[in-house]
């Protein structure tokens, strides 16, 4: 098994769920991103999503959009995101997902982007704006370098498209499925009933695809994580981490605030 699969298997053996934490790389700077990622790992995160900043983050709310703009304004982008991945990999065996939008990968070239991601220690790609039906070129390039390509499923996704993911998983590496808890963008606080429904839907997606399924969007506290994770295989938390980084007035304050959140999340899932 790869690192991501091992992370899910380890938590399942413990009767717990996987915790995935997101960072926008380069906010406030590359060195801080490395330190913050390793702090998340220290506090119990199982998988790190490294967000590649992008000028038009259409799936993201204002917190992550602001973080992307700050990172881009100081020269951040795909090259820096991969450099941060390499620095994390040099210090930790934590699974790393490169999270972003298709344009930077397309400009780099799908095969070259996948090769560079593998070299940096990345385990899988999650390309937010690349639908399953249009993903085969990128999926093939990723697979040729041993990388997974993680699909997203939303409340509006038709059953036949979920089944298509299961079919793809028989041939291509899909380490997990990301279930988006609500329509709209990241950053909103999900109501308990919405997150409970999302968790139940994630459980059904797992049965259809035979792949672990995590819930993201709207999870900003340990209690909300607990509700979402009840029938899912794990949860993703991003916007609240980004907000805490944004509010921090020093490196020490940012680190402790993020550590406190991840500790809280870990005790609930």
């Amino acid at each position: 098994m790869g690192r991501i699969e091992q992370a899910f298997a380890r938590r399942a053996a413990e009767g717990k769920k996987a915790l995935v934490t997101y960072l926008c790389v380069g906010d406030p700077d590359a060195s801080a991103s490395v330190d913050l990622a390793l702090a998340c790992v220290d506090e119990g995160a199982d998988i790190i999503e490294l967000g590649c900043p992008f000028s038009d983050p259409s799936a993201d709310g204002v917190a992550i959009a602001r973080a992307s703009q700050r990172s881009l304004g100081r020269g951040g982008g795909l090259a820096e995101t991969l450099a941060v991945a390499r620095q994390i990999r040099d210090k930790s065996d934590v699974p790393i997902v490169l999270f972003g939008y298709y344009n930077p990968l397309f400009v780099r070239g799908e095969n070259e982007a996948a090769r560079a991601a593998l070299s940096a220690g990345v385990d899988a790609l999650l390309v937010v704006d690349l639908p399953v039906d249009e993903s085969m070129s990128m999926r093939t390039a990723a697979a040729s370098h041993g990388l997974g390509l993680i699909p997203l499923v939303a409340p509006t996704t038709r059953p036949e498209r979920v089944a298509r993911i299961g079919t793809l998983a028989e041939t291509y590496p899909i380490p997990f499925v990301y279930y988006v808890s609500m329509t709209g963008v990241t950053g909103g606080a999900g109501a308990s009933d919405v997150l409970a429904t999302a968790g139940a839907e994630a459980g059904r997606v797992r049965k259809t695809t035979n792949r672990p399924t995590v819930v993201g969007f709207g999870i900003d506290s340990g209690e909300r994580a607990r509700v979402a994770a009840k029938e899912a295989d794990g949860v993703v938390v991003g916007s609240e981490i980004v907000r805490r980084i944004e509010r921090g007035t020093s490196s020490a304050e940012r680190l402790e605030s993020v550590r406190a959140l991840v500790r809280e999340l870990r005790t609930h899932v």
Side-chain angles (χ1 to χ4, degrees):
M1 292 190 293
R3 281 183 285 252
I4 295 177
E5 290 84 358
Q6 289 174 356
F8 279 103
R10 182 173 62 252
R11 288 303 183 192
E14 297 170 351
K16 297 181 179 180
K17 305 301 177 73
L19 174 59
V20 185
T21 56
Y22 167 96
L23 297 167
C24 180
V25 172
D27 180 45
D29 57 54
S31 177
S33 293
V34 175
D35 292 341
L36 287 159
L38 294 173
C40 289
V41 176
D42 287 345
E43 299 298 341
D46 299 296
I47 298 168
I48 299 295
E49 278 187 359
L50 293 181
C52 179
F54 185 57
S55 58
D56 186 22
S58 55
D60 293 303
V62 293
I64 294 177
R66 285 196 302 262
S68 285
Q69 289 300 321
R70 290 191 295 268
S71 179
L72 292 170
R74 42 161 299 281
L78 180 58
E80 183 173 83
T81 302
L82 293 173
V84 165
R86 167 48 59 198
Q87 292 177 66
I88 295 168
R89 178 59 67 231
D90 287 343
K91 298 178 180 180
S92 173
D93 201 38
V94 65
I96 298 173
V97 174
L98 177 62
F99 180 107
Y101 294 81
Y102 181 59
N103 184 266
L105 304 176
F106 175 78
V107 171
R108 184 76 173 257
E110 292 175 334
N111 189 67
E112 171 57 22
R115 185 206 63 76
L118 176 66
S119 179
V122 169
D123 297 282
L125 310 176
L126 199 165
V127 188
V128 184
D129 55 348
L130 188 61
V132 168
D133 292 340
E134 299 176 22
S135 69
M136 290 311 300
S137 179
M138 186 74 250
R139 190 174 300 281
T140 300
S144 71
H145 293 280
L147 299 177
L149 185 60
I150 296 163
L152 290 94
V153 171
T156 53
T157 302
R158 298 187 303 275
E160 58 267 28
R161 291 175 69 84
V162 178
R164 168 72 170 149
I165 293 170
T167 300
L168 286 172
E170 296 173 2
T171 305
Y172 295 92
I174 296 179
F176 65 89
V177 178
Y178 188 126
Y179 187 85
V180 177
S181 69
M182 63 189 78
T183 57
V185 297
T186 61
S192 292
D193 58 341
V194 171
L195 292 172
T197 298
E201 289 298 325
R204 285 189 275 274
V205 169
R206 181 208 311 116
K207 291 177 182 178
T208 298
T209 63
N210 198 33
R211 306 306 303 142
T213 304
V214 302
V215 176
F217 287 38
I219 301 170
D220 62 359
S221 69
E223 177 57 25
R224 287 194 172 98
R226 184 194 65 78
V227 171
K230 185 175 181 181
E231 297 184 58
D233 297 289
V235 295
V236 185
V237 179
S239 292
E240 179 59 19
I241 291 174
V242 171
R243 283 190 288 263
R244 290 185 178 218
I245 293 169
E246 183 177 41
R247 292 194 297 262
T249 58
S250 68
S251 296
E253 183 181 341
R254 285 189 290 267
L255 278 168
E256 182 47 41
S257 182
V258 171
R259 282 183 178 275
L261 174 62
V262 178
R263 281 197 298 270
E264 177 192 350
L265 295 165
R266 183 72 274 168
T267 62
H268 284 74
V269 298

